[in-house]
Amino acid sequence: MKLNFKKTGSGEPLIILHGLFGSADNWFSIAKELEKHYTLYLVDQRNHGDSPHSDEWNYKVMAKDLNELMEDEKIESTNLMGHSMGGKTVMNFALQYPEKVKKLIVADIAPRHYPVHHQSILEGLTSVKLQEIKSRKEADDQLAKHISEAGIRQFLLKSLGRDKDGNFIWKINLPVINDQIENVGEALDYDTNFENPTLFMGGANSKYIQEKDKEDIDKYFPNNHLIYIKNAGHWLHAEQPQAVVETVKAFLK
């Protein structure tokens, strides 16, 4: 699959993958701080952003998508960073194609299984009557019946677009995501490991990377460093962008 991506900056490559319900746009502010040092590829994963939709949606095919992008761009090896679902994608990629990854950054996700916990978001997105709404405000009002946090609604509404006739659509492939949501929580299952430097960067206020996860992290990524960003939850790059930028720069030096 030919993924949509935005390329900016100069220097050695750094590919960044967003999380579930997100898009490449989520990382623009981070990219502006890093583009002086790296050639950045901000990628829309399949079924998200402006990348194609597909009925097949799992980490095996998402890792293949990333490999195809690298081949098309003639990138032999790269630094990789992924947040949440994107973090799972880059972990899978590094274990399948270790020779193609210089350094790996995993943002607020561990190798273990995660139970489905996005029901209210999926219910909210599904409840929006796209054929009836006339504005983003109306979409927000409908979402608010299921999702009280305004920040989360604004994040989700970034995936609200229009088709060629001007009608509102979800850019994400909502039916497939809804049907296959359990795939996002899958644990890594490999007999190998990735030996290059790996940074696990968690939010101090998030519960996604816990003490119990260290065993799996050490198993698959023995050359790892785990840090927590202060005053940040799961969306650490949005909550503490400068801290994330400085951490990434220090690790990739």
Side-chain angles (χ1 to χ4, degrees):
M1 176 178 287
K2 305 299 182 185
L3 298 178
N4 179 67
F5 65 90
K6 297 174 177 66
K7 180 180 177 182
T8 183
S10 60
E12 65 176 332
L14 169 60
I15 299 175
I16 303 178
L17 299 186
H18 62 81
L20 181 64
F21 304 121
S23 68
D25 294 358
N26 301 154
W27 287 87
F28 272 176
S29 62
I30 300 295
K32 288 179 181 177
E33 299 292 328
L34 294 173
E35 61 186 6
K36 295 178 183 177
H37 309 281
Y38 301 96
T39 298
L40 298 169
Y41 291 82
L42 308 180
V43 181
D44 287 331
Q45 298 194 81
R46 67 167 57 201
N47 292 330
H48 290 73
D50 292 320
S51 281
H53 287 188
S54 171
D55 290 338
E56 194 172 15
W57 184 58
N58 54 61
Y59 289 116
K60 182 178 180 181
V61 294
M62 286 192 278
K64 284 184 177 179
D65 292 343
L66 180 54
N67 185 55
E68 184 175 344
L69 184 153
M70 288 181 63
E71 289 182 346
D72 288 347
E73 290 295 300
K74 297 179 172 53
I75 302 172
E76 293 185 3
S77 64
T78 185
N79 299 304
L80 267 183
M81 177 162 63
H83 171 245
S84 199
M85 179 186 76
K88 277 280 183 75
T89 302
V90 299
M91 282 191 277
N92 277 273
F93 183 88
L95 290 166
Q96 292 179 42
Y97 307 93
E99 73 284 355
K100 296 191 174 187
V101 184
K102 295 177 181 177
K103 291 185 177 182
L104 182 69
I105 302 174
V106 180
D108 212 52
I109 199 76
R112 65 174 161 93
H113 169 263
Y114 289 79
V116 174
H117 54 281
H118 302 288
Q119 291 91 337
S120 62
I121 288 178
L122 288 168
E123 289 170 4
L125 293 170
T126 304
S127 74
V128 177
K129 297 178 174 58
L130 295 173
Q131 297 81 10
E132 299 177 11
I133 60 172
K134 304 298 182 185
S135 68
R136 302 179 73 84
K137 174 65 167 58
E138 290 182 19
D140 185 46
D141 290 342
Q142 292 184 21
L143 274 179
K145 297 175 184 177
H146 298 266
I147 303 163
S148 60
E149 299 90 340
I152 293 178
R153 296 201 306 273
Q154 291 309 305
F155 164 74
L156 295 170
L157 287 169
K158 290 181 180 179
S159 291
L160 186 65
R162 292 181 184 270
D163 62 18
K164 57 180 172 35
D165 298 318
N167 302 309
F168 280 108
I169 57 168
W170 289 119
K171 290 185 177 183
I172 56 174
N173 189 346
L174 187 55
V176 167
I177 292 174
N178 204 5
D179 185 57
Q180 302 181 32
I181 189 65
E182 289 188 2
N183 291 348
V184 176
E186 283 187 346
L188 270 65
D189 185 16
Y190 293 87
D191 295 324
T192 184
N193 60 28
F194 175 71
E195 297 181 352
N196 283 5
T198 303
L199 173 66
F200 280 81
M201 181 171 52
N205 299 333
S206 171
K207 296 181 179 179
Y208 272 70
I209 302 180
Q210 303 178 15
E211 184 64 32
K212 65 181 181 181
D213 295 320
K214 197 69 169 71
E215 183 178 349
D216 280 342
I217 290 172
D218 290 341
K219 172 186 174 183
Y220 289 116
F221 306 96
N223 188 6
N224 74 77
H225 183 54
L226 170 61
I227 66 133
Y228 290 93
I229 303 294
K230 292 180 180 178
N231 302 315
H234 185 55
W235 284 279
L236 63 173
H237 54 296
E239 297 171 44
Q240 296 294 334
Q242 201 55 45
V244 168
V245 166
E246 295 306 321
T247 301
V248 169
K249 286 166 66 175
F251 176 70
L252 293 180
K253 269 185 182 176

